[in-house]
Amino acid sequence: MRDPYKLLGVKRDAGPDEIKAAWRNLAKAVHPDHNIGDPTATERFAEIGRAYETLKDPQRRSRYDQVAQMAQAKTQSREQTIMQQRHAAREAEERAKAARANAEKIMEELARANARKAQAAAPANPQATGASESPEDMVERIFGAKAARVAPSQAAADTDTAEAEKANSAAIDETLADEEQLATGTGSSTSRSPFGILGSLVRRITGVAPDKPPEKTPEIAAEATITLDDMLKGQWITVPLSEGREARFQATTDIGNGQVLHLKNQGLKLPGMLRGDVAITVHLSTDNRFTLDGFDVRTTLPVTIENAVLGYETEVEGLNGQVRLTVPAWSGSDQIIRISGEGLPDGQGGKGDLVVELRLMLWEKPDDKVTDLMRSMREGFFL
């Protein structure tokens, strides 16, 4: 959903009465009955309704404002750092060139070392000797003792450096391909010690585990209202979030009122972090026909006095149409008749029950004969 304030044409500090008036005016203007020739009228009408539902509820409005502020701060931060990223990309390109040159040297030395090892093991040259050279020794021979000391201990050094360097070490140390991305501006832009690449190669050769993956953006909260028909039909429910984004979930019959659904990877995405989740609190809308009791569906049946006394057969509305039932003779008000298998699916191949509560009703107009009969029964004599 787009910005509800813009959809309704109100300011962000607008009061409830102003919001309600704006919604009423727009609803009248875009109502499908008044725009028969417009195929988008229905969607626009629904969108305005969702915007009003968001702003009329103080809690929903507050949550939306908080998320919108986070998104705005994220956009401003991105705009402020774009020049820094370009400058860092140019520096990273130079570092990438140097890293590739160093890598080529190391690969050449590894090839020579493997060749010498193979030659020493060949039967044709039994006099050849020489122990295999470790990666640390090779780095020391090529780049000096300082590089050899720094390279194998780079993972530990990263822990003691600044947090900005730590956040980018995983991207730089993972592969030399990350340096290629860094040079083109698609990778991290924070400066890194030239020994970081050497540490990456040594860790890959010696099998040292890479740094931890980035953290996940905190979960955000939202609310959704679904109907009984949504649950029975398995409808997909759309929940508006910030920046025009939406989260979606399927309404199923096992969702309870007030249940919290956690939607993975449908939340916010902040720089340097993985996309977060959305926690949606589900509310079941009231239904004039039925109320839910677990997997059972409850409804009421008005019964007149004569039918309650004598009993009769009738029909009552169920989830899938009319259901026949028998009201026993001498049935009192609030008596329950349970019809098995006419409730909600329980997820295990079975169904709940349709629970019918009887409500004893009088006639619309007084009847003299019934009045005399009731008086005689109460006072103990017959006319």
Side-chain angles (χ1 to χ4, degrees), residues 303-312 328-330 360-363 370:
V303 180
T304 60
I305 294 177
E306 71 272 19
N307 286 332
V309 172
L310 301 176
Y312 76 118
W330 290 96
L360 196 60
M361 306 293 292
L362 294 175
W363 292 280
V370 174

Side-chain angles (χ1 to χ4, degrees), residues 115-128:
R116 289 194 298 268
K117 184 177 180 180
Q119 184 178 4
N125 189 14
Q127 300 299 325

Side-chain angles (χ1 to χ4, degrees), residues 265-286:
N265 303 322
Q266 294 195 39
L268 294 179
K269 176 70 169 65
L270 299 180
M273 303 179 72
L274 299 176
R275 186 174 297 281
D277 303 334
V278 181
I280 297 183
T281 303
V282 179
H283 303 285
L284 301 183
S285 65
T286 56

Side-chain angles (χ1 to χ4, degrees), residues 244-324:
R245 296 181 58 256
E246 297 176 335
R248 300 178 74 244
F249 69 96
Q250 188 174 20
T252 56
T253 56
D254 58 348
I255 296 178
N257 187 35
Q259 182 175 347
V260 179
L261 303 179
H262 298 273
L263 307 183
K264 299 296 184 181
N265 303 322
Q266 294 195 39
L268 294 179
K269 176 70 169 65
L270 299 180
M273 303 179 72
L274 299 176
R275 186 174 297 281
D277 303 334
V278 181
I280 297 183
T281 303
V282 179
H283 303 285
L284 301 183
S285 65
T286 56
D287 194 305
N288 294 330
R289 303 168 300 163
F290 308 107
T291 57
L292 301 181
D293 184 9
F295 298 110
D296 294 337
V297 179
R298 307 180 73 93
T299 187
T300 58
L301 176 65
V303 180
T304 60
I305 294 177
E306 71 272 19
N307 286 332
V309 172
L310 301 176
Y312 76 118
E313 291 188 357
T314 185
E315 291 184 344
V316 65
E317 185 177 5
L319 296 178
N320 301 311
Q322 297 295 319
V323 180
R324 292 195 62 82

Side-chain angles (χ1 to χ4, degrees), residues 179-230:
E179 286 292 340
E180 298 279 356
Q181 295 177 354
L182 192 62
T184 58
T186 59
S188 176
S189 59
T190 304
S191 60
R192 179 69 186 270
S193 166
F195 300 110
I197 303 303
L198 303 179
S200 173
L201 290 172
V202 171
R203 286 195 295 274
R204 291 176 65 84
I205 294 172
T206 59
V208 177
D211 293 337
K212 295 182 180 180
E215 295 183 359
K216 200 168 187 176
T217 302
E219 187 177 61
I220 61 174
E223 293 184 352
T225 301
I226 62 177
T227 65
L228 183 59
D229 288 337
D230 292 333

